[in-house]
Amino acid sequence: MTDVPALYARLLSHLDALDFEAGERIGTERSLAEQFGVTRSVLRAALGVLESEGRVRRTIGRMGGVFSWDGKIERHLNAIEGVPDMLRQQGFRSATEVLSAEIAIATPIECRALQLDPGAAVFRLRRRRDANDVPLSLDSMTLPMRLVPGFPTVGHAQSVYRILAEKYGIEAAEANETIDVSSATEEQARILQVEAGAPLLEIHRVTYSQHGVPFEFAHDFFRSDRTRITLRRHGARWKRVDR
C-alpha cells in the first residue's frame, strides 16, 4: 500500500514531468486516486502537503478539481461574483476590513455611470479584502440610495451582492469592466502591504441588474503579485457581406 510520503514524491514527479502551467487542471481527486492506485484519504493527505507548499490548489463545485498553482488567485472575467465567493470557490479564507462607509452626493462621473440626476444621494463603501490573512484587493463601490434604502445600517463586511439579492431583489446580471495596470500610491501600498509603486490591477466596473438598471459603480485595485485574470472566449463566425 502506498504511503503519503511515497505518493507525495510520485505526484511531485508527475507535476514536474508534465510541466503543468499555473492554473491548469491536473484532474479530480477521484481520477487521480484511480490513476495512482491509492485511496482517496491517502491522496488527500499527499495533496494537502503539496497545497501547503503552494504547488497545487483544490477547488469545489462543478468545475472544481486539483489545479497546478503558483500562489495566484484567479479572477474570472466570465462571472460576476463577489470576492468572498471567488475566494471560497478556490479554497481560500476571506476576510473584509471596512475602511469607510458614507452617504454622499453623487459626483458627475457617478451620475453618468449610474444614470442619476445631479444631486442624487449615493452610498460609498471602501473595503480591503484579504485571502488567507494576506491583503488581496482594495475595493471601492458606489450605490444609488434610491435603490438601497436602509443600506447604511447593514453589515458592510458581508457580500454586498448577496445583500442586494436577498434584501433588495437586485441580481447582478451584466457588468462592463475595464482593466489597467497602475502603480500603488503610498496609501494603497500601506493598505495592501506592498511597496509604493508596486504594480496593481486597476479595475473600473459598472454593474447592471436583471432589469438593465445600473446599480454599482466600482473602482478596485488588486495586487498583481497575487492575482491572475482569466477569461473563457468563444469563437464567432463572421458573415461576409459583399458590397
Side-chain angles (χ1 to χ4, degrees):
M1 179 177 178
T2 302
D3 59 11
V4 173
L7 179 58
Y8 164 83
R10 291 174 63 194
L11 287 169
L12 202 57
S13 296
H14 180 68
L15 292 173
D16 292 338
L18 295 186
D19 194 22
F20 288 98
E21 294 184 356
E24 187 175 353
R25 194 169 189 261
I26 300 168
T28 64
E29 286 189 356
R30 179 177 180 178
S31 67
L32 289 172
E34 293 176 351
Q35 179 180 348
F36 288 92
V38 297
T39 64
R40 294 278 287 273
S41 61
V42 171
L43 176 70
R44 286 170 179 159
L47 289 175
V49 178
L50 288 170
E51 196 166 27
S52 69
E53 295 175 346
R55 291 299 305 266
V56 303
R57 64 177 177 85
R58 289 174 284 183
T59 66
I60 59 177
R62 186 171 58 88
M63 300 301 293
V66 181
F67 295 81
S68 177
W69 190 45
D70 62 356
K72 290 192 174 184
I73 295 160
E74 294 187 355
R75 188 180 186 281
H76 303 284
L77 294 186
N78 304 83
I80 304 173
E81 58 185 353
V83 172
D85 288 337
M86 176 184 75
L87 293 177
R88 185 180 65 256
Q89 291 169 7
Q90 296 183 46
F92 292 90
R93 298 186 313 277
S94 68
T96 299
E97 179 182 351
V98 177
L99 303 176
S100 63
E102 63 174 0
I103 297 175
I105 300 301
T107 64
I109 189 172
E110 290 170 338
C111 287
R112 292 193 299 273
L114 296 171
Q115 300 176 13
L116 301 175
D117 294 329
V122 295
F123 185 78
R124 297 196 191 114
L125 181 61
R126 192 168 185 245
R127 302 177 294 180
R128 189 185 79 181
R129 319 305 285 269
D130 295 353
N132 287 0
D133 303 319
V134 179
L136 171 67
S137 66
L138 174 60
D139 305 347
S140 299
M141 67 166 53
T142 301
L143 307 172
M145 281 301 300
R146 64 178 175 79
L147 296 180
V148 291
F151 189 83
T153 63
V154 304
H156 300 134
Q158 305 175 52
S159 168
V160 169
Y161 284 176
R162 189 168 299 169
I163 294 171
L164 293 176
E166 295 176 354
K167 184 176 176 63
Y168 299 98
I170 298 174
E171 301 277 355
E174 184 178 344
N176 292 332
E177 287 191 339
T178 59
I179 302 174
D180 207 341
V181 177
S182 61
S183 300
T185 64
E186 292 285 349
E187 182 198 26
Q188 291 168 343
R190 174 179 55 80
I191 294 171
L192 293 173
Q193 298 178 14
V194 296
E195 295 290 332
L200 302 176
L201 296 175
E202 181 177 3
I203 301 174
H204 287 89
R205 178 176 63 259
V206 178
T207 312
Y208 298 82
S209 73
Q210 68 272 35
H211 304 298
V213 177
F215 69 86
E216 177 199 30
F217 177 55
H219 189 192
D220 304 336
F221 294 89
F222 281 76
R223 284 178 50 167
S224 63
D225 64 330
R226 300 206 69 203
T227 312
R228 174 181 294 106
I229 300 295
T230 64
L231 172 66
R232 176 175 294 177
R233 302 183 66 181
H234 300 277
R237 289 182 295 177
W238 294 86
K239 182 177 180 180
R240 182 170 180 171
V241 179
D242 295 324
R243 296 185 181 275

